[in-house]
Amino acid sequence: IGFALRNGSLGKPIPVGLPGSVAISPDGYTAYVANSGNLEGLPGPTGTTVTPVELVTGRRLRAIAVGGQPGGIAITRDGSTVLVSLVDKAAVVPISTATRRLGKPVSLPPSPSPGQTVPGPIAIDPQADIALIGNLQLDLSVPANVINVINLRTHRAEPPIALGAGGHPADELVVSSRGTVAFALSYLGVTTIDLPARTAGTTIPNSGPTDAMAISPGGKTLYFGRAFETSGSELVPVATATGFSGTPVVTFPGVISAIAIGR
């Protein structure tokens, strides 16, 4: 479902399959949806495709088979490549936005700490040309307490970032527009990550159940999908500088599973 941040109005839902993570191209014309939704009781994502959607027309385009179970998705700053994490292969596969063909997957290293590499959410640092990949908490997995790093210039994995004893594998990841800090969402709250130092910092506790997060283009506001106790959810703005929550900007009848913000 699309909506306008300026007035909170909802758009018409666009069916895509098993919607999970979503990313919007830098020009704002196309959204890419990882069909990674899973059925209750199964160990992980059951989708195997990514669906492009034309945002101006609302037209769903032909789904792209990615050769595995997608866990997260992101787009490079020049808009030329979509990155998709594959849960069942511990790898990230690139997709050309021009041809919609897959490139060579980049394998992630085995975890240096206890736990498994279960690649999920992806965020891209536009300044350092790196991709950050969090580990998913699935029914049958014990995810490693790290964030993996891929150098987008060399297409090789770099040493992961340890979240520390007080952290937890990230359900969502976002990077500030300046590329100096990232935010990792888990059930504990939001952990700040110093990207130049590659170290985890403080954690802002959650004020309620949150399942999704995105950052505004200017980097001043985080948006959280906060679920109600009964049903439905709301989109809550949080100032990145203070950690203070604002008034919810829109209410949804269902749970928000992923958020992406276009310009």
Side-chain angles (χ1 to χ4, degrees):
I1 297 177
F3 63 93
L5 284 175
R6 61 181 178 272
N7 58 23
S9 61
L10 295 176
K12 183 180 179 181
I14 303 170
V16 293
L18 297 165
S21 297
V22 59
I24 296 177
S25 61
D27 61 14
Y29 288 114
T30 309
Y32 293 85
V33 183
N35 290 312
S36 55
N38 65 300
L39 301 177
E40 186 175 357
L42 294 180
T46 56
T48 59
T49 62
V50 168
T51 300
V53 176
E54 291 182 348
L55 295 178
V56 175
T57 64
R59 187 165 67 99
R60 178 187 61 193
L61 305 180
R62 179 179 297 179
I64 304 166
V66 294
Q69 297 170 322
I73 192 166
I75 301 178
T76 56
R77 60 178 175 176
D78 62 1
S80 66
T81 306
V82 176
L83 299 176
V84 183
S85 64
L86 301 180
V87 172
D88 55 340
K89 298 184 182 298
V92 172
V93 63
I95 303 173
S96 167
T97 56
T99 65
R100 296 189 181 144
R101 293 182 178 177
L102 274 60
K104 183 179 179 181
V106 179
S107 297
L108 299 177
S111 171
S113 65
Q116 301 167 271
T117 298
V118 190
I122 304 178
I124 293 176
D125 179 349
Q127 305 302 322
D129 267 352
I130 59 173
L132 307 176
I133 305 96
N135 283 318
L136 285 176
Q137 173 68 68
L138 301 179
D139 294 346
L140 302 179
S141 71
V142 180
N145 197 24
V146 300
I147 292 175
N148 282 291
V149 179
I150 291 178
N151 187 315
L152 296 178
R153 299 189 185 103
T154 64
H155 297 280
R156 294 180 180 274
E158 296 187 351
I161 301 170
L163 291 175
H168 190 272
D171 297 319
E172 290 286 349
L173 284 169
V174 297
V175 175
S176 66
S177 57
R178 295 184 178 180
T180 57
V181 63
F183 300 92
L185 172 67
S186 73
Y187 77 92
L188 297 175
V190 179
T191 301
T192 58
I193 299 169
D194 185 327
L195 289 177
R198 305 283 178 94
T199 57
T202 58
T203 297
I204 303 170
N206 285 340
S207 59
T210 55
D211 297 294
M213 173 179 65
I215 194 168
S216 63
K220 294 183 178 180
T221 308
L222 290 170
Y223 290 92
F224 296 93
R226 186 168 63 192
F228 299 140
E229 291 184 2
T230 53
S231 63
S233 54
E234 59 189 3
L235 192 70
V236 180
V238 174
T240 56
T242 64
F244 293 151
S245 300
T247 303
V249 296
V250 68
T251 299
F252 293 90
V255 174
I256 301 173
S257 61
I259 306 169
I261 299 176
R263 295 181 183 274

